[in-house]
Structure formats: structure tokens, C-alpha cells
Amino acid sequence: EPAETGVNLHQLLRTLARRGIMSIWAEGGGSLTGSLFEGGHVDEVWAFIAPIILGSDSIPAVSGFTARHMAEALRLRDVVIEPLHPDMLIRGYTGAWSP
């Protein structure tokens, strides 16, 4: 569904698919990331983790997508962890899709 402001992601992804674009790299803020998760549009996650502590009042990495209990949390599978000193890349797949 369209947000009050912004782009209708479902419509955008459908339009891209009709044009033969079957994969996108979405790099953005917590609202975009949360909307993609909430809409079920995420098949693969690349999370870059930096050794920086922001605190609870900072900008969230994923906004609007909430698991109220650990059992509801989205779990990645086939996880690969790559050290990129001083950061770290964690990659994994959601759902049943894999390359």
C-alpha cells in the first residue's frame, strides 16, 4: 500500500519486474528497510556492522517491522560472516529463496 508520502514499493517492484529487473540492492534508512521487510520483499540480507554504539534514541536500522517476541523474529539462514576490519558483513537469506 502507498505510504502517506513516498513510493508504493509493491507497485515499483512489480514495474521493475515487468522490465526484466528481478533483483535490486536497496540501501537506505530504517523506513525503507522496514517497509521492504514488512511487504515481504526481502530475500537476501547484507548487514554491515560497525563497532559503534549509538544508543536507544538513535536512528533505527529497521523501522516499522517489529517482532514482539523472539519466536516472531526474522531469522536468516545460510549465514556467512565476513570480517571487513574494523567492520563486519553478515549475509543470509530469508524465506525459502536462495540463488
Side-chain angles (χ1 to χ4, degrees):
E1 295 186 21
E4 289 180 23
T5 61
V7 174
N8 181 320
L9 292 175
H10 184 73
Q11 184 179 25
L12 171 65
L13 294 173
R14 193 173 347 144
T15 300
L16 291 173
R18 275 189 240 132
R19 294 179 182 186
I21 299 170
M22 303 307 291
S23 178
I24 65 165
W25 180 290
E27 182 178 359
S31 294
L32 173 61
T33 306
S35 294
L36 289 167
F37 275 110
E38 190 67 33
H41 302 299
V42 178
D43 295 317
E44 184 176 1
V45 172
W46 288 42
F48 292 89
I49 309 297
I52 299 170
I53 307 300
L54 295 175
S56 65
D57 292 334
S58 63
I59 300 169
V62 178
S63 176
F65 178 81
T66 303
R68 304 219 185 278
H69 306 283
M70 287 300 286
E72 297 172 347
L74 179 65
R75 306 268 179 194
L76 298 180
R77 58 182 178 68
D78 300 329
V79 173
V80 174
I81 300 173
E82 297 180 38
L84 302 170
H85 188 69
D87 302 339
M88 185 176 302
L89 167 60
I90 300 173
R91 294 184 293 135
Y93 300 99
T94 65
W97 182 87
S98 62

